[in-house]
Amino acid sequence: MDAPFEHYFTAKPADPAELRSRTVVLAGRHVDVVVAPGVFSPDGVDRGTAILLANVPDPPTTGELLDLGCGWGPIALTLALRAPEARVWAIDINERALDLVHRNAAALRLGGIVAATPDSVPENVEFAAIWSNPPIRVGKAALHAMLRQWLTRLAAGGAAYLVVAKQLGADSLQRWLAETFPECAVTRLATDKGFRVIAVVRRPRR
């Protein structure tokens, strides 16, 4: 497997010797987390995720929230810190990432986080909010399939926020989202350091 794509697919949880402790700022707090190679952004919070977290509004305080493609968990942990009464689904196909999320949630005593593979999420769960730094480099077809699968599960009035680099097709993705999800209002929430934060808000049902 090519090294640039290893973080999407690593199945084996990290050995204790591979774990690295980092202090990061999430939800305005300095917190200690563990990261590891073979997972996206193994040295801390990447720029795109930091821009997303700096620009999104507060999540709903209750209900089902989703971190789509969670990595070691900066988005899921932030959701849980901001909305401790909600249930946060941290999903990824990378088993090492899910193990790290579990470790970090336990260390921060965030009992509302469920680290799971996509197939483990019950089909009847709808999400009040979806936050994601999606895996753009998996290719357009795979990315579009993933977004179709999960954005259709936004609850009425729910909002998804995606951060995408402009040079990796953020503007064309925004157009595709608007065409594919006519039941949603698709807008650009923010632009910062070459990244776009795209908002996809499902209109209330009439």
Side-chain angles (χ1 to χ4, degrees):
M1 183 180 302
D2 294 340
F5 301 98
E6 178 187 11
H7 61 266
Y8 294 139
F9 304 106
T10 304
K12 182 182 177 183
D15 294 326
E18 295 180 290
L19 298 176
R20 306 168 183 169
S21 179
R22 296 286 186 270
T23 300
V24 298
V25 178
L26 300 175
R29 295 170 47 181
H30 287 82
V31 297
D32 294 325
V33 298
V34 290
V35 297
V39 173
F40 177 66
S41 191
D43 292 317
V45 181
D46 64 285
R47 179 178 291 182
T49 297
I51 289 170
L52 175 74
L53 297 177
N55 285 282
V56 290
D58 287 336
T61 56
T62 60
E64 311 281 349
L65 312 180
L66 174 63
D67 173 5
L68 179 58
C70 60
W72 58 261
I75 293 174
L77 298 172
T78 299
L79 285 166
L81 288 166
R82 290 189 181 181
E85 301 302 317
R87 178 161 60 171
V88 178
W89 295 87
I91 66 169
D92 208 296
I93 61 173
N94 183 326
E95 295 287 351
R96 178 172 296 190
L98 298 178
D99 177 67
L100 291 171
V101 172
H102 179 78
R103 290 173 183 269
N104 289 325
L108 295 175
R109 299 182 179 180
L110 298 173
I113 293 180
V114 180
T117 59
D119 292 342
S120 300
V121 183
E123 293 183 2
N124 63 343
V125 174
E126 289 189 328
F127 300 101
I130 299 173
W131 293 7
S132 181
N133 183 348
I136 298 296
R137 294 184 187 275
V138 297
K140 184 180 293 187
L143 176 68
H144 287 183
M146 181 182 72
L147 294 176
R148 282 193 185 96
Q149 177 182 359
W150 295 102
L151 294 185
T152 55
R153 295 175 68 171
L154 273 175
Y161 298 99
L162 314 175
V163 64
V164 181
K166 179 182 178 181
Q167 67 178 13
L168 294 180
D171 294 343
S172 62
L173 179 63
Q174 182 176 337
R175 290 191 294 271
W176 177 83
L177 289 166
E179 294 167 358
T180 305
F181 300 98
E183 72 277 17
C184 297
V186 179
T187 59
R188 185 186 303 163
L189 180 67
T191 298
D192 190 3
K193 298 181 177 66
F195 287 86
R196 313 288 207 208
V197 178
I198 302 169
V200 183
V201 181
R202 190 180 185 95
R203 297 181 179 92
R205 296 185 179 95
R206 296 180 179 178

